[in-house]
Amino acid sequence: MKKEEVYIGIFGKRNQGKSSLMNLLAGQNISIVSDTPGTTTDPVKKSCEIFGIGKCVFVDTAGFDEQVQADGLGKMRVEKTFDYVQRLDMAILLISENSLAQAEKDFARLLSENSVPFIIVHNKADVSALSPGFASMLARLYPQNPLVDFSVREAEAAAPLQKAEKNPCEPILKALRALYEKHGAAALPPRPALEGLIKAGDCVVMVCPIDGEAPTERLILPQVLFARQCLDLHALPVLCQLEELETVFKKLRKEPALVITDSQVFGSVAQRIPATCPLTSFSICLAKQKGNFEHYIAGTSQLSKLKNHNKVLMLESCTHQINCHDIGRVKLPALLQAKTGKKLEFVYVSGLDPLPDNLSDFAMAVQCGGCMVSARQLENRIKALVKNNIPVSNYGMTLAWCNGIFDRATAMFR
Ligand SMILES: Nc1nc2c(ncn2[C@@H]2O[C@H](COP(=O)(O)OP(=O)(O)OP(=O)(O)O)[C@@H](O)[C@H]2O)c(=O)[nH]1
Ligand SMILES: [Mg+2]
């Protein structure tokens, strides 16, 4: 199965060479470099392919030791850098001059608290090479984190001479690969939702509406993902639109092992198929595969407790999917208000944008399936909500609940 992009953040105090390293890794001048501390303000991203890991997105950030200025901008930059931590799969912590300041120790702790594995790069080795004493102190403090003594400046000088023969970033790439093998893919193995639920030879009917919101000439990722999962399991995926569902059932000799529908047509599908037939949605399968399934289940049961004017946080992780967008912004809010009979206030957060500060103002949050983001990103996304005891549901589960089929739509995964 195709892996998602691996997000790798580059962090450090100001002037450590973060942007220089980003440019070297990218082989392009993406980020501005200067010896004025505080040059990088907003995170700068660049996609790259790393042999042994796959598609990666490097994120250069503002130094986390930015001084608090009268205009408050410095504080905002640091907050933005900190916000980025929850979206990452791995990180590079850049230090130099054989020193480790409290801000660097604090940041390393923040990475660990967010389960972000990181390598430590001691940069500017041309000015001050890593001393054995400092190296062993780091090894004691951070036994799990590969340490690389490096000089971006020397690597930059070597780059044009060595061209394709040897990548001057190889020591860093090697450390990242080691980290990835240990923590990346392995730490969050894909948990195929259908594994154990269906077996070879089982028929799985997938209801995929082709309406105004469907992209032209292709299926959307959740549909492809679970059709492929069926094929991997040697099961028999049958795709159809809602209008043909009854015909499919008539043509099948035996009831399918499972029906997976687009959550938007949950109600219509439930009416058209026998009550004995297991029914769920793509979004619920995604919740099982990479969301915090148990937390969503518990959270969904709190929907009935919503009161007038309660605030509901809608988390749509896939900004570019019209489909997801429309469910989250239009259909779900309308259905939820109709079902609860309450006037609710909806706040939307798109992509991996930071959550609002005032989390305790929210009565509920509803997270989309997150087909475009990694399991780690999803997990980190709702961490703060879990910590603040805010119930979280998932798009599919909320739609199932609104249609009165929540138990039916989740029973097979419980
Ligand atoms: N001697 C030496 N200088 C370096 C090295 N790497 C970067 N520099 C210099 O350090 C200065 C700061 O580099 P940047 O890449 O802008 O540092 P940064 O961490 O992105 O800084 P901010 O964006 O301000 O947080 C520049 O003058 C770089 O040329 C290195 O390995 N050796
Ligand atoms: Mg910079």
Side-chain angles (χ1 to χ4, degrees), residues 95-100 122-123 128-132 134-135 137:
I95 57 171
S96 66
E97 293 175 349
N98 289 296
S99 90
L100 189 70
H122 179 261
N123 190 33
S128 165
L130 183 66
S131 75
F134 185 64
M137 191 269 281

Side-chain angles (χ1 to χ4, degrees), residues 326-348:
D326 187 59
I327 302 181
R329 303 232 168 194
V330 185
K331 298 201 170 104
L332 251 175
L335 254 173
L336 200 51
Q337 294 190 98
K339 179 74 185 173
T340 54
K342 304 286 189 282
K343 178 95 193 72
L344 304 169
E345 195 186 315
F346 293 89
V347 174
Y348 307 92

Side-chain angles (χ1 to χ4, degrees), residues 18-19 31-32 39-40 60-61:
K18 299 180 296 298
S19 302
S31 227
I32 301 171
T39 302
T40 308
D60 179 22
T61 60

Side-chain angles (χ1 to χ4, degrees), residues 93-392:
L93 179 60
L94 228 62
I95 57 171
S96 66
E97 293 175 349
N98 289 296
S99 90
L100 189 70
Q102 191 56 44
E104 293 164 326
K105 285 186 192 159
D106 291 346
F107 200 81
R109 184 155 30 86
L110 180 77
L111 290 172
S112 301
E113 280 168 4
N114 280 278
S115 321
V116 178
F118 62 97
I119 66 167
I120 301 172
V121 174
H122 179 261
N123 190 33
K124 307 198 183 185
D126 54 302
V127 180
S128 165
L130 183 66
S131 75
F134 185 64
S136 52
M137 191 269 281
L138 285 178
R140 257 198 323 277
L141 281 177
Y142 307 108
Q144 307 294 330
N145 306 82
L147 171 64
V148 183
D149 193 21
F150 197 73
S151 163
V152 174
R153 184 153 290 175
E154 282 175 356
E156 280 168 349
L161 301 173
Q162 294 177 340
K163 285 244 154 89
E165 283 135 49
K166 189 163 176 266
N167 189 330
C169 301
E170 190 49 32
I172 292 179
L173 298 180
K174 193 172 157 205
L176 286 174
R177 271 195 290 273
L179 199 69
Y180 183 72
E181 268 165 35
K182 198 160 150 207
H183 300 278
L188 286 171
R191 291 171 274 154
L194 304 184
E195 209 173 87
L197 192 64
I198 55 162
K199 54 185 188 316
D202 278 352
C203 176
V204 177
V205 174
M206 301 188 171
V207 186
C208 312
I210 307 293
D211 52 18
E213 289 148 28
T216 44
E217 296 184 341
R218 65 177 174 87
L219 295 170
I220 57 172
L221 191 55
Q223 296 160 351
V224 175
L225 201 70
F226 293 107
R228 169 62 194 266
Q229 221 170 86
C230 285
L231 296 175
D232 284 340
L233 295 165
H234 295 275
L236 315 171
V238 176
L239 277 71
C240 70
Q241 295 206 57
L242 181 63
E243 296 80 356
E244 284 70 50
L245 184 59
E246 281 151 314
T247 312
V248 169
F249 267 69
K250 274 187 205 135
K251 294 205 172 199
L252 289 174
R253 291 232 185 99
K254 157 172 164 206
E255 229 173 59
L258 181 66
V259 175
I260 308 177
T261 181
D262 187 307
S263 315
Q264 297 186 70
V265 289
F266 243 144
S268 314
V269 172
Q271 281 167 14
R272 283 173 167 80
I273 65 171
T276 48
C277 185
L279 167 65
T280 190
S281 76
F282 292 105
S283 170
I284 294 175
C285 289
L286 278 169
K288 181 66 189 173
Q289 183 149 313
K290 55 177 167 180
N292 190 334
F293 191 82
E294 301 309 327
H295 195 75
Y296 294 157
I297 291 277
T300 308
S301 65
Q302 302 299 307
L303 288 168
S304 58
K305 303 199 175 122
L306 285 171
K307 299 189 185 72
N308 265 329
H309 309 295
N310 269 173
K311 280 172 107 171
V312 180
L313 184 62
M314 304 299 285
L315 300 170
E316 36 177 33
S317 299
C318 330
T319 38
H320 56 283
Q321 267 199 2
I322 316 162
N323 192 298
C324 213
H325 191 78
D326 187 59
I327 302 181
R329 303 232 168 194
V330 185
K331 298 201 170 104
L332 251 175
L335 254 173
L336 200 51
Q337 294 190 98
K339 179 74 185 173
T340 54
K342 304 286 189 282
K343 178 95 193 72
L344 304 169
E345 195 186 315
F346 293 89
V347 174
Y348 307 92
V349 177
S350 305
L352 291 171
D353 284 352
L355 299 182
D357 290 332
N358 53 341
L359 281 185
S360 49
D361 290 359
F362 290 89
M364 275 295 303
V366 188
Q367 165 72 55
C368 80
C371 63
M372 304 300 296
V373 296
S374 71
R376 190 191 297 277
Q377 285 170 331
L378 264 189
E379 193 181 293
N380 282 336
R381 188 129 190 80
I382 67 160
K383 215 175 227 171
L385 296 162
V386 175
K387 210 164 140 190
N388 283 274
N389 293 321
I390 296 172
V392 186

